[in-house]
Amino acid sequence: MDSTLLAITGLIPCPEQRSIRTSRCSPLFRTTTSPDGVYLMSIESALIVRKAALPTAAQLTADIAETGVSVAFPTDFALDQKVAGWVPVTVDGQLSGFNYDVQPMSEIDPAELPPGVAEAGDTVLAFGGKGTLSAETVTLIHNVLGRRYRAWLLIEDELLPPEDGWGAGTSLDDIHVDRRGSPAKLAADVEAYMAQRFAPVTRDPHAKTKDLLKQLVFPILIFAALGGFYLWAQLK
């Protein structure tokens, strides 16, 4: 099955989203199917920031706590340090995480980036979520960094700026769990939406046998042809 891109506002698509104001809109989810027909959800996005303005992991944890969510990062995690791999985090007591990497804008070919990146910042923070809870964790971090630290969202080659007036001390009430829901609830909502929208992919129980037989057809034909030729030569 081909990959499908979904932008979800709660359970409502929001392709018209034109800024980083994603208080009820998660970034684009990419859904694919595993060999056994299970839907897998992932997200790939990036934030463009000014490195000097990045908070410490402890400060980000405190900012996120204002939304009613408890997040614990690894003790050695820092937003400005390259990881190029998986960052395990705990979200409200549940194990989650995301792929993470950091790259200076100076190392990226300008032709690969949309217009306006110079205004956005000097550093790219790349995120990769795997699964719905992971994707919602990434979304929450995006929301907080956008509001408090004026991060720009780069997703699907589109650059989305923070709202005017966002910055240090900006209220996070609009993304509080009382209004938006917890990451776990949002993840469950997305999974329910996907289950309702897409029927499970059923695999033919005899598919493996059919595939094996297809692979054997050509060798069998060659063997039969050679055998026939040998028999014909002997009879002659």
Side-chain angles (χ1 to χ4, degrees), residues 42-123:
S42 62
I43 180 174
E44 294 181 2
S45 59
L47 296 177
I48 299 182
V49 300
R50 300 208 173 274
K51 186 174 181 179
L54 284 173
T56 63
Q59 182 58 57
L60 178 59
T61 299
D63 291 332
I64 292 174
E66 292 184 37
T67 71
V69 179
S70 173
V71 174
F73 295 100
T75 56
D76 59 348
F77 176 70
L79 286 168
D80 61 351
Q81 298 297 313
K82 293 179 71 69
V83 176
W86 184 257
V87 177
V89 301
T90 302
V91 182
D92 290 335
Q94 290 186 254
L95 187 61
S96 182
F98 50 86
N99 282 316
Y100 186 72
D101 200 9
V102 179
Q103 188 171 14
M105 292 283 292
S106 59
E107 296 180 0
I108 303 176
D109 183 351
E112 298 180 0
L113 297 170
V117 292
E119 177 188 356
D122 55 22
T123 303

Side-chain angles (χ1 to χ4, degrees), residues 157-179:
D157 298 323
E158 186 172 6
L159 188 61
L160 306 177
E163 295 287 321
D164 293 338
W166 282 1
T170 297
S171 172
L172 301 178
D173 288 347
D174 63 329
I175 56 173
H176 193 278
V177 293
D178 289 343
R179 295 183 59 178

Side-chain angles (χ1 to χ4, degrees), residues 19-21 119 143-152 161-172 174:
S19 79
I20 200 174
R21 178 175 288 280
E119 177 188 356
N143 285 332
V144 171
L145 289 177
R147 284 162 174 74
R148 286 282 168 89
Y149 305 96
R150 297 194 57 77
W152 292 51
E163 295 287 321
D164 293 338
W166 282 1
T170 297
S171 172
L172 301 178
D174 63 329

